[in-house]
Amino acid sequence: MNVHNSAVERLCRRNVPLAKFSTYGIGGNANYLAMPETSEELAELLQDCKRRGMPWFIFGMGSNILFPDEPGRDTVFITLKNMAEIKANEDRWYVSAGTPMSLLSLLGLVGGTDMLDFTFLLPGCLGAGIYMNAKYNAQQICDIVDVVYYIDTEDPSLQVRSISAEDCRFAYKQSIFQQHPWIVLGADLKLCVSSEEQVRTAAVLLAEWKARGSHPSSLPSFFSFFLGEIHSLAGRGIQTPQTMLDIIRYRTGKKHFDYPSCGSVFKNNYDYGVATGFLVDKLNLKGTEHGGAIISPHHGNMILNYNQATAADVIYLINLITEAVHKEFGFVPEPEIVLVEEKDKNSL
Ligand SMILES: Cc1cc2nc3c(=O)[nH]c(=O)nc-3n(C[C@H](O)[C@H](O)[C@H](O)COP(=O)(O)OP(=O)(O)OC[C@H]3O[C@@H](n4cnc5c(N)ncnc54)[C@H](O)[C@@H]3O)c2cc1C
């Protein structure tokens, strides 16, 4: 095989700072980084990685990931955020894995339904939203997907498979995709196509999102894009519903978009019955700093990168909280963010 013509060589950029691909703004240089635009390109890459024995790491916007300071030299980092597509399939919407979840709220708004409002300003792409079963208040991504399309990376043919949402073992921040080496390609939503106007608006929104270029994983830029879109819809007579105004107030109040972060670091322990952020508050750990990282003074479950933090700085504070919660409240809090290992190892 001619290595120079291989998919990895053709589709990967070399020596790319992962910090630019994470809302944390943290991560060393990736030797290989790919942004496939189609599922065919993705399959080609995976086949080539398998042939060459190279590990890969699949991700979306990087809003729930802590990349390592020294990424594995042979790991191929693959972001699906260029696989952004919204398609009306007869009466149903198909949305691909790289589409930002927040775009779905606008699709719903134009279609006259409030079922997607909760995705407004929820960072990240749909593929990871399904993988993590992302949520806001009582609503979760599993409430809005009908059929999920995916690749089983252990299947030599890498053919596209589908699974009904009912079989996806969705639970609080859990899905079947965390239990298998499967990559989500997209999903049919439960949302029906309501009008030609909705189809046209979906195309415009997607084009505007793509026109932002390389889609930096910057939270202020994410926030200003969606704020701009909601204002422009309001200018066309589509009023912003109260739920979305409340989301703006909540997320700006908690300073979600002011500093690089990955949102909540830990899951809530519902058996214990008190939110992790509240426990951190009770432990007086809010505002604790280490290196360039700080436990948010506004939200005990967020660790911010406020001054060129390293992954090691964030991990130090994660361990500090873990030990303090264990000692004081008797359980080990489960991380919500995904800590990407330094060593080369096949991983979703
Ligand atoms: C300010 C802020 C606020 C947040 N608020 C919330 C909130 O209210 N609710 C909430 O649920 N989350 C919240 N999050 C976390 C984040 O929005 C979600 O976890 C989101 O689903 C992550 O999407 P992503 O594309 O950035 O995933 P990434 O961070 O890129 O990846 C996360 C995980 O998903 C896996 N993955 C990614 N794409 C795929 C795929 N196509 N197939 C299989 N696996 C895949 C990755 O391997 C990784 O393990 C917040 C984050 C931030 C920064």
Side-chain angles (χ1 to χ4, degrees), residues 136-300:
Y136 183 75
N137 285 342
Q139 281 177 290
Q140 313 174 86
I141 286 296
C142 64
D143 300 333
I144 61 166
V145 297
D146 188 13
V147 176
V148 180
Y149 300 90
Y150 69 99
I151 289 177
D152 176 353
T153 60
E154 281 175 348
D155 170 2
S157 74
L158 297 182
Q159 67 175 350
V160 179
R161 297 162 181 242
S162 64
I163 180 168
S164 139
E166 285 160 22
D167 297 324
C168 286
R169 298 187 203 149
F170 284 120
Y172 169 61
K173 298 276 162 114
Q174 282 175 24
S175 77
I176 196 168
F177 301 97
Q178 296 169 16
Q179 299 160 9
H180 296 281
W182 296 354
I183 299 175
V184 176
L185 296 177
D188 292 333
L189 301 186
K190 285 184 179 153
L191 181 75
C192 288
V193 178
S194 73
S195 64
E196 272 306 310
E197 169 66 0
Q198 193 190 24
V199 175
R200 267 195 305 276
T201 307
V204 170
L205 286 169
L206 199 59
E208 286 174 356
W209 174 254
K210 289 183 174 179
R212 292 164 71 245
S214 61
H215 313 298
S217 291
S218 131
L219 290 169
S221 130
F222 167 84
F223 178 53
S224 70
F225 176 84
F226 283 102
L227 208 59
E229 291 298 340
I230 209 79
H231 284 147
S232 105
L233 287 177
R236 283 170 42 195
I238 303 173
Q239 286 309 314
T240 310
Q242 189 57 43
T243 42
M244 290 194 185
L245 294 174
D246 290 345
I247 288 174
I248 296 174
R249 193 170 310 116
Y250 171 77
R251 293 199 187 270
T252 53
K254 295 281 179 194
K255 314 278 182 213
H256 277 194
F257 308 115
D258 290 12
Y259 285 98
S261 85
C262 265
S264 294
V265 173
F266 297 97
K267 294 183 184 180
N268 288 323
N269 179 343
Y270 285 113
D271 289 339
Y272 191 79
V274 179
T276 310
F278 186 73
L279 298 180
V280 174
D281 197 5
K282 279 186 83 171
L283 289 164
N284 281 324
L285 289 175
K286 274 160 82 173
T288 307
E289 299 176 24
H290 183 79
I294 185 170
I295 301 174
S296 170
H298 307 282
H299 189 313

Side-chain angles (χ1 to χ4, degrees), residues 101-116:
M101 286 184 279
S102 187
L103 213 57
L104 303 183
S105 63
L106 307 185
L107 186 68
L109 186 57
V110 176
T113 170
D114 60 4
M115 71 184 258
L116 304 176

